[in-house]
Amino acid sequence: MYRSVYNYKGKDRGVLPVRAGEQFTFIEQHDANWWKMRSQTGSVGLVPTCYLEPVHNDTVNPGETQAVLESVDRAIEAIHSQAAKTGEIYTHEQRTNLRKLLEHRKHLQDQSGKISPIKESQSSQLHHGGVQSKASVPTQDPPAQPRRPAPTLPPEKDKKEKKKESTKRRPAPAAPAAASQQANKMKGESSSEIKEPSPPLPAVPQRTDLEPVKIRAGIAAELLELLRINTGLSYDKSYVAVHTVVSHLQQCVPATSEAMTQIIQDLANQRESRSEDEDALLQSHDGQQLIRILDELTEHKEDSQQRTWAVHEDEGIICKLLKELLSILLDADPSVCRAVLKQDDYEYVNMLVVYFQMEERRSLRQQLVEVFGCMCGLEKEILSELLCSVLPTELAIEIMNKKHDVLMQCHCALLLTMIFSTGESVPFTLYDQVNDGFVDFIIDVIESAGSGEHGEEVVDALVPLILAFNQHFVDFQSNIVMRVLASRGTAKTLSEKIMLLINREEDPTAMFQYPRACPDSVLKFLTDIFSSQDTSEFFYTSDMMILIEIVLRQLVDLSPGAGMRTEYISLLHQILMNSNYSEHKHQADELLFCLKRISKEEDKESEQDRLIVQEILKHSAKYF
């Protein structure tokens, strides 16, 4: 801010009349003798510098300050131009630089007390209401006028066009013509005074509700990752948490509805899209943690292989690693776990199998069994890898050696049931350990478990193992389970458990959704039992009657074409052919009525059922 010291009335066009004591705002330095200033009335023009003095001892060189301010303004304008090319979207770096430039610009203005052209309109509004300086007018003679005449300013039209071009990116709405004329009359501006509109202050453009919000792809996966890392929630719970929060924001904050919708859609699609990017899965936080833990376990395994003496100092370290491994397998995204474990043809899985084979410490072996159990639920290929490894043999040995360790015995039986659950063909070498002696041992434990403290737990763990192992045999002659049952005659606890499962329609080996060679292990076990007279006396007469009632109920309830109905008809055929049904003929009339109804069905889906029923009626007419 500057104050005039003397009166001056210029005659040249574009020169402002000056009254002593009047305050002016500096705009720019035209040359060494003339400055472009704004008066208190808002008029803009040239004033001789020798008629002015700074207010409040302001001695800053206005030319230098103006040059710095113009440089800052150009930098600000460059950031806005770059953002305009990307649809008015400012990056984080651009916002940071813009904020620093605006702070630096304000600091320069506070120091100098002078305002650059980009802030003229705001400054003039502040000073219009100010009180004119009451400084006394000096009585000494005014200095000589500048030797050079006042320069001629460019035409107002050209300047307006230039200003319009510089502010074209964010044009301001023009004032109505009538309002503009009325304002000119109120100000009483002379025709010689130059009017120049001030450009708007550069600032970060504010987004309106009508502008579309663009959400970066993959933000849903990042939210899941951050929530999982910072809270320790499982992947499934993190998914629910993100979906709940985003859905609530969508409903409560309408302005974010479009953005939240995009995130919800990304959240719904990210599982499938993420599972296809194996590199991204391996580089995720859980992926890196899994690789680190498995690599450390590999080092301990290799170190243990070279030991010739018992050293147990690393038990605590390995135990901690196995707990971390189990936690990640339970809580992490299953696609991440699959991507890590399938590396190098399941090298990590085979490493853990070898480590289980060589490890003798009970606490570590039990944790390894739990780890294998989690792996089995990830994908069927892992089950196939474990089935073809030495793990089934080691588990069978562990079950037979842990007679007094019920917890370890049950855990190993459960894992072995998982491995056998798909009904795949087993390697021939497995029968060296899982043979008649092993099956006979399992049945002995089941039969003697009733009197023990943990009898029910043992039965619930070992009966599914018998059913799962029986799935692998196609014909009766090679079936180890049937051969052992034929030699034993009866097994009360096992038969009661089988009857309970068939009545409840439960298959304890159906642990996963993987394809299986046998649809129902309990039905296959019963069909195998009654496929030969050597084992047909396995059930007591009371159990046989209950079984007949269950089969009849299923034949009545199941619809034509149902695969399970075909299985039950086949089971009935075996019962009538090889058991002592003639001794009691339980539910004979009801069975005959049901079989005749099936034989009269004309649906194409019932063709196989009709053929079996015809065989039953042909060879079992004596029972009806």
Side-chain angles (χ1 to χ4, degrees), residues 504-614:
R504 294 178 177 177
E505 301 180 35
E506 294 181 3
D507 183 0
T509 67
M511 301 177 176
F512 313 108
Q513 298 298 323
Y514 309 140
R516 304 202 307 167
C518 174
D520 189 287
S521 64
V522 180
L523 268 177
K524 183 182 186 303
F525 181 87
L526 290 171
T527 304
D528 290 344
I529 283 287
F530 292 104
S531 63
S532 172
Q533 294 182 356
D534 295 337
T535 54
S536 61
E537 303 297 328
F538 178 73
F539 291 100
Y540 293 103
T541 302
S542 58
D543 292 337
M544 283 292 302
M545 292 181 178
I546 295 175
L547 181 59
I548 292 295
E549 294 177 359
I550 294 173
V551 172
L552 179 60
R553 181 188 68 199
Q554 294 294 342
L555 295 182
V556 172
D557 294 342
L558 293 174
S559 59
M564 292 298 294
R565 192 177 80 161
T566 305
E567 297 293 330
Y568 277 104
I569 295 175
S570 299
L571 174 59
L572 178 61
H573 189 199
Q574 298 294 336
I575 292 174
L576 296 176
M577 291 289 294
N578 297 313
S579 71
N580 57 348
Y581 181 73
S582 59
E583 297 179 2
H584 52 80
K585 296 183 180 181
H586 186 63
Q587 298 284 340
D589 294 338
E590 290 80 359
L591 285 175
L592 179 61
F593 178 81
C594 182
L595 293 174
K596 287 183 176 180
R597 177 181 58 82
I598 296 175
S599 66
K600 295 178 182 180
E601 293 177 350
E602 298 180 356
D603 299 335
K604 184 177 181 181
E605 294 81 1
S606 304
E607 182 177 359
Q608 185 175 1
D609 294 351
R610 289 197 304 270
L611 293 175
I612 302 175
V613 168
Q614 290 172 5

Side-chain angles (χ1 to χ4, degrees), residues 170-183:
R170 292 184 302 278
S180 179
Q181 293 175 1
Q182 185 179 1

Side-chain angles (χ1 to χ4, degrees), residues 331-496:
D331 296 339
D333 182 357
S335 59
V336 173
C337 301
R338 286 192 290 267
V340 173
L341 294 177
K342 71 187 298 183
Q343 295 297 300
D344 300 325
D345 294 331
Y346 298 94
E347 178 62 28
Y348 285 131
V349 177
N350 294 322
M351 177 273 296
L352 291 174
V353 170
V354 174
Y355 185 63
F356 179 83
Q357 183 183 19
M358 57 177 288
E359 181 59 66
E360 297 181 354
R361 288 166 285 190
R362 190 262 185 196
S363 60
L364 300 183
R365 288 175 70 88
Q366 181 173 344
Q367 288 192 4
L368 284 169
V369 169
E370 295 176 4
V371 168
F372 287 127
C374 290
M375 290 182 178
C376 290
L378 293 174
E379 61 179 351
K380 186 174 181 294
E381 286 71 15
I382 293 180
L383 282 177
S384 301
E385 286 290 327
L386 296 178
L387 181 63
C388 297
S389 67
V390 297
L391 183 61
T393 299
E394 291 294 324
L395 291 173
I397 295 174
E398 190 76 2
I399 291 172
M400 297 183 71
N401 292 339
K402 298 296 181 181
K403 296 180 181 180
H404 305 292
D405 191 345
V406 176
L407 181 62
M408 187 63 177
Q409 190 179 57
C410 290
H411 284 183
C412 292
L414 178 60
L415 177 57
L416 193 54
T417 303
M418 293 180 182
I419 297 175
F420 288 153
S421 64
T422 59
E424 293 183 55
S425 299
V426 301
F428 187 79
T429 55
L430 178 66
Y431 297 127
D432 293 340
Q433 179 63 41
V434 186
N435 49 25
D436 298 56
F438 175 76
V439 174
D440 192 56
F441 170 83
I442 295 297
I443 296 177
D444 281 338
V445 174
I446 292 173
E447 294 303 310
S448 62
S451 58
E453 180 181 358
H454 303 282
E456 187 175 353
E457 297 178 14
V458 174
V459 172
D460 290 340
L462 296 182
V463 170
L465 176 58
I466 293 291
L467 296 175
F469 185 54
N470 183 70
Q471 289 185 129
H472 299 273
F473 301 101
V474 178
D475 61 291
F476 183 86
Q477 298 299 326
S478 62
N479 192 325
I480 297 177
V481 177
M482 295 298 112
R483 190 162 61 234
V484 172
L485 290 178
S487 63
R488 296 180 66 96
T490 59
K492 181 176 181 295
T493 305
L494 177 59
S495 61
E496 291 177 352

Side-chain angles (χ1 to χ4, degrees), residues 33-34 50 144-150:
N33 298 312
W34 297 91
C50 56
Q145 296 184 11
R147 295 179 182 179
R148 295 180 55 188

